[in-house]
Amino acid sequence: NKLLESTHQRICDFFVQKDDTKTIAEQDRIKNRLLLWPRGGLKSSTSVVDCVQWILNFPDIRILVMTSNDDLAVGFVGEIKSHFTLHPDDPSPMNIFWPEYCVDGNDVESGFEFICPIWKAKGIKRREPTVTATTVMTAMSGFHYEVEKIDDAVSNNNSESEIQCRRTTKVLNINKKMLRAWGYQDKIGTRYQDWDDYGTELEKNVGDMTTWHDGPCVEVMENRSTATKILIGRAIVIKPERLVELE
């Protein structure tokens, strides 16, 4: 009940709009997304719902979630699992409409992964589960994914200095090689420093670009040159006339 159309529809529209009559590669020409949103704005919870939609439409999907620490990684996967958990005494809408996707609360993998039961039933062996969660500094070479969720990978611990920020950006760039050539990467977070990875992404945002405002505190950019879309929501924006007074 904290997700309101007036505030969160723009975030829902920002993510890939799924169409299961098309392949995963054909879902959207925009392959890179950057969502910068204030803390407590339910950006990660909305991203979890986006992961659930990917799984419902494409049970064979492989999603990599990268966060700044283990607790966040486990929490993200746990939230995804919660949507697919069976509740015999009080069935959820997921249990009612998509029971084949649901699992018993005790029938789950480790805290860092989730396997869609429809995919699991096929018995096809592969290295990657449906959802894998890890930290930004973990080596993941040799794995392949269709979707990467880089969620709160920038934290106060890894952005205390410019050197730390550059190192985080370097690792994220290396880990993007695990993404299929046509895959989708969503970076989601709140900025800490001008030179953090989000700032680096904004610096690279040049080319054939359209920018528009969706309200006084929300800015949207679509870069056709780099197949990138950026949504920035600011908690506070000082009115121009007030800024003049303050100066």
Side-chain angles (χ1 to χ4, degrees):
N1 59 2
K2 293 181 180 179
L3 289 169
L4 305 176
E5 183 176 353
S6 59
T7 54
H8 290 86
Q9 184 66 53
R10 52 174 64 90
I11 299 180
C12 296
D13 293 342
F14 178 71
F15 291 122
V16 175
Q17 305 301 295
K18 322 299 183 296
D19 181 354
D20 63 7
T21 65
K22 301 177 182 178
T23 66
I24 298 175
E26 296 170 335
Q27 292 302 300
D28 201 320
R29 62 182 180 80
I30 298 295
K31 304 299 181 180
N32 306 291
R33 284 169 169 77
L34 173 61
L35 172 61
L36 299 178
W37 209 253
R39 292 176 184 82
L42 299 177
K43 58 186 180 298
S44 294
S45 294
T46 310
S47 181
V48 164
V49 174
D50 185 59
C51 290
V52 171
Q53 290 186 338
W54 274 117
I55 295 168
L56 288 176
N57 282 278
F58 306 99
D60 59 333
I61 195 84
R62 294 172 295 184
I63 302 173
L64 174 65
V65 178
M66 300 194 75
T67 64
S68 59
N69 61 65
D70 286 345
D71 290 342
L72 280 175
V74 171
F76 199 102
V77 174
E79 195 170 342
I80 292 175
K81 289 178 180 178
S82 70
H83 288 282
F84 293 104
T85 301
L86 284 168
H87 303 281
D89 297 331
D90 185 20
S92 68
M94 184 75 77
N95 298 163
I96 296 170
F97 294 106
W98 294 282
E100 67 276 19
Y101 283 85
C102 297
V103 296
D104 185 273
N106 297 318
D107 183 23
V108 294
E109 297 73 30
S110 75
F112 290 92
E113 63 182 48
F114 171 72
I115 301 177
C116 173
I118 289 183
W119 171 258
K120 193 173 185 177
K122 293 183 178 181
I124 300 174
K125 301 296 182 183
R126 67 180 185 186
R127 281 179 277 186
E128 306 88 356
T130 305
V131 180
T132 304
T134 186
T135 60
V136 65
M137 293 302 178
T138 301
M140 294 286 293
S141 59
F143 294 88
H144 302 282
Y145 299 90
E146 284 76 42
V147 175
E148 280 189 358
K149 291 281 188 178
I150 315 299
D151 197 295
D152 280 333
V154 176
S155 69
N156 57 324
N157 292 325
N158 63 22
S159 61
E160 292 178 346
S161 67
E162 184 171 357
I163 294 176
Q164 284 182 315
C165 289
R166 300 302 182 193
R167 183 186 176 204
T168 301
T169 296
K170 181 179 180 180
V171 173
L172 288 173
N173 290 336
I174 292 173
N175 284 333
K176 192 174 182 180
K177 295 178 181 178
M178 293 181 293
L179 191 64
R180 301 288 294 274
W182 43 261
Y184 305 89
Q185 185 187 76
D186 298 339
K187 286 187 176 181
I188 301 154
T190 303
R191 294 195 68 183
Y192 280 84
Q193 304 283 358
D194 288 341
W195 52 75
D196 62 21
D197 183 68
Y198 307 134
T200 301
E201 288 286 345
L202 294 174
E203 286 178 3
K204 296 189 298 184
N205 188 39
V206 295
D208 182 10
M209 186 170 59
T210 302
T211 301
W212 66 95
H213 291 270
D214 185 10
C217 297
V218 180
E219 186 177 8
V220 188
M221 291 169 270
E222 184 170 320
N223 192 321
R224 287 170 289 275
S225 302
T226 60
T228 299
K229 195 170 184 179
I230 299 173
L231 174 60
I232 301 175
R234 296 176 173 85
I236 298 174
V237 173
I238 300 175
K239 294 180 179 180
E241 60 273 21
R242 182 58 180 156
L243 184 61
V244 172
E245 293 177 10
L246 290 171
E247 289 177 345

